[in-house]
Amino acid sequence: MIVILMGVAGSGKTTIGQALADETGWEFSDADSFHSGAAKEKMAKGEPLTDIDRTPWLQIMQNSITQWLQQEKNVILACSALKASYRQMLYCDHPQVHLFYLKGSYELIEQRLHNRIGHFMKAGLLQSQFKTLEEPTQAEAIYIDISQNLEMIVQEIKNYL
């Protein structure tokens, strides 16, 4: 089974994904590790990525998801997956791929990003993330309110699984 935790930067994908992996014993993978050096450098400069920048990143993740499914691995993937077309590329309609949308207010996420240290994604890019975001329908994803504490969020996801 593949669990994709999606949402804008600062929504807690990595923190929640790692905590969920610790609880379940599943493998954890962060989409940030699939970005090219050029893409990370661009974001570090405060420049939003384009669809052209994202396509190779999505293709690499799509290949990884295909391999995980073939190997029958249980993997938690933290990935922004902001557009419906990106989610389609990541097999979100596959019966073994489950999408969880980490939803929070702009103000909460902005505060989190301002408190981050040493991450290439800067708070100034948050507006472009929200502008790009195409929220999934509730039929496509399970909505998780990120204003809850970490333990409650992890338990809620485990309950769905």
Side-chain angles (χ1 to χ4, degrees):
M1 181 182 308
I2 310 299
V3 168
I4 299 176
L5 301 176
M6 69 152 290
V8 298
S11 61
K13 297 179 297 291
T14 300
T15 301
I16 294 165
Q18 289 172 333
L20 184 60
D22 289 345
E23 287 274 327
T24 59
W26 291 12
E27 189 175 319
F28 173 74
S29 188
D30 194 315
D32 287 346
S33 65
F34 294 91
H35 275 300
S36 68
K40 287 180 182 178
E41 187 177 312
K42 189 173 183 177
M43 288 184 283
K45 291 179 185 175
E47 298 175 33
L49 298 180
T50 65
D51 283 350
I52 293 169
D53 297 321
R54 287 186 182 101
T55 298
W57 173 68
L58 290 163
Q59 289 171 335
I60 292 167
M61 282 188 294
Q62 180 188 52
N63 292 339
S64 294
I65 290 170
T66 299
Q67 287 177 342
W68 297 331
L69 289 168
Q70 290 170 347
Q71 296 167 355
E72 297 182 358
K73 284 187 169 185
N74 292 318
V75 179
I76 299 158
L77 175 64
C79 177
S80 55
L82 297 176
K83 289 187 177 183
S85 61
Y86 304 166
R87 296 187 294 272
Q88 276 304 114
M89 251 183 115
L90 298 176
Y91 296 109
C92 286
D93 58 349
H94 190 285
Q96 292 301 315
V97 177
H98 300 277
L99 184 67
F100 290 83
Y101 172 37
L102 305 179
K103 183 174 174 60
S105 71
Y106 186 94
E107 296 75 22
L108 171 64
I109 295 171
E110 183 179 42
Q111 178 183 17
R112 288 179 176 186
L113 287 176
H114 281 297
N115 293 333
R116 253 195 215 182
I117 298 170
H119 194 276
F120 61 84
M121 186 67 171
K122 304 299 180 209
L125 290 175
L126 185 59
Q127 188 173 6
S128 73
Q129 291 254 305
F130 270 93
K131 185 177 178 183
T132 301
L133 177 63
E134 296 170 2
E135 289 190 336
T137 66
Q138 292 197 356
E140 296 168 308
I142 297 159
Y143 279 47
I144 303 293
D145 176 3
I146 63 165
S147 67
Q148 305 174 78
N149 69 43
L150 179 61
E151 293 78 21
M152 289 177 67
I153 292 170
V154 169
Q155 189 58 52
E156 186 175 350
I157 293 170
K158 284 175 51 182
N159 289 346
Y160 280 107
L161 296 175

